[in-house]
Amino acid sequence: MIAGRQGVEAVLRASLVHVPENAFSLAAIRKTLLKQQQHNAADVERALSVLFPGPDPAPTSAPRRLFQAWDDRATMHVNGVFEEKEKNSMDVTVQWLCDRLAYNDPVRPHLLPVLKLLTSDALFPNIPYFACLPLSFRLPNPGPVMARAAQIADDACNTTGLVSAKGIEWYATRSRLAFAYVASELVYATQLDLSTESVADLLKRIVYTPGAYELGNHGMRSIHQWAEWGGRGWLGILRSWNL
């Protein structure tokens, strides 16, 4: 029915059109396959169970694979818009992040559930006691969400030519951009009454307001400040998810 990795990726891309209506779910992929009239319902269900095994929090699940496909398409789209724009400008890089956030508008109501799935990865995978706990009893792990934001920030910097020698300034800039993006996206996903423009303004304020990520000016003290600030923020986020 579906031949190899390229076939699966093609199905995922074709299913993105159904995400605004069906969320990041098996239902979106099922709809794509059923529209291909050569597949009957039994074949489709069998293929779905083989191609996307595990519960929704699993990295192999349909929701997480679809979300990754959505992220890939979003980044590709925004990269195309910014290819010919000014390089090595913080303002352009920040606008890239704002446009990347706005690309999610059609699926905005579905972002929070799938971001929550990312936090289901084991927090201490190498400690047998924690790794064996059922998903419902594991501590939420913000690492995958932060890693995703770091990748998005890196894509923004690479596309817009915001480059510098790898040193404390390089890491501080990307860390600030990543934190600004993830904080804004979580507001965007949870506060649906706020306009996209308002959330973009928040992202810009986080980037341009000197804060705990100013490693170049404040050294190790800023790491401690960020840990306290970030910790309080994550506590509030997790409480809002009833975790």
Side-chain angles (χ1 to χ4, degrees):
M1 177 186 289
I2 300 172
R5 177 179 176 182
Q6 291 184 343
V8 173
E9 291 176 349
V11 168
L12 288 169
R13 290 192 297 270
S15 301
L16 294 178
V17 68
H18 302 304
V19 172
E21 180 181 353
N22 296 101
F24 295 97
S25 66
L26 269 176
I29 302 174
R30 183 182 293 112
K31 196 168 186 178
T32 298
L33 294 179
L34 288 175
K35 282 190 173 183
Q36 301 173 1
Q37 297 181 357
Q38 67 267 33
H39 306 315
N40 61 51
D43 288 340
V44 167
E45 294 307 316
R46 186 161 50 251
L48 291 175
S49 65
V50 171
L51 296 174
F52 307 103
D56 285 353
T60 54
S61 71
R64 290 188 60 170
R65 294 290 303 277
L66 267 178
F67 190 43
Q68 182 60 58
W70 178 271
D71 272 350
D72 292 343
R73 176 169 291 183
T75 296
M76 184 183 302
H77 171 82
V78 180
N79 281 348
V81 173
F82 279 78
E83 277 182 353
E84 303 301 325
K85 295 198 175 184
E86 180 184 357
K87 303 297 182 183
N88 201 22
S89 165
M90 176 64 83
D91 289 346
V92 174
T93 303
V94 171
Q95 189 57 52
W96 188 103
L97 291 172
C98 292
D99 286 13
R100 175 65 176 77
L101 184 69
Y103 187 88
N104 294 323
D105 278 353
V107 299
R108 185 175 181 179
H110 309 307
L111 283 180
L112 185 58
V114 76
L115 288 172
K116 183 178 175 181
L117 291 180
L118 296 185
T119 70
S120 299
D121 286 356
L123 187 58
F124 304 109
N126 297 321
I127 301 178
Y129 174 77
F130 287 101
C132 293
L133 285 175
L135 286 175
S136 59
F137 290 99
R138 290 181 185 172
L139 293 173
N141 180 6
V145 176
M146 293 300 296
R148 172 177 169 272
Q151 181 60 58
I152 290 173
D154 205 48
D155 291 337
C157 292
N158 289 333
T159 300
T160 60
L162 191 69
V163 295
S164 61
K166 284 192 176 181
I168 196 166
E169 182 181 354
W170 186 88
Y171 289 107
T173 298
R174 281 153 182 76
S175 296
R176 186 188 302 113
L177 292 173
F179 185 78
Y181 186 86
V182 72
S184 301
E185 187 175 54
L186 288 169
V187 170
Y188 176 81
T190 56
Q191 306 295 322
L192 300 182
D193 56 323
L194 290 179
S195 68
T196 302
E197 292 75 15
S198 296
V199 182
D201 287 342
L202 170 64
L203 189 155
K204 293 174 182 177
R205 289 198 301 273
I206 295 173
V207 170
Y208 291 119
T209 301
Y213 255 121
E214 295 291 336
L215 299 181
N217 294 329
H218 301 293
M220 293 301 293
R221 181 180 176 186
S222 285
I223 296 177
H224 176 68
Q225 292 173 344
W226 179 86
E228 290 185 347
W229 181 28
R232 287 196 297 270
W234 274 109
L235 181 61
I237 291 163
L238 297 175
R239 283 177 176 169
S240 74
W241 289 349
N242 296 318
L243 295 176

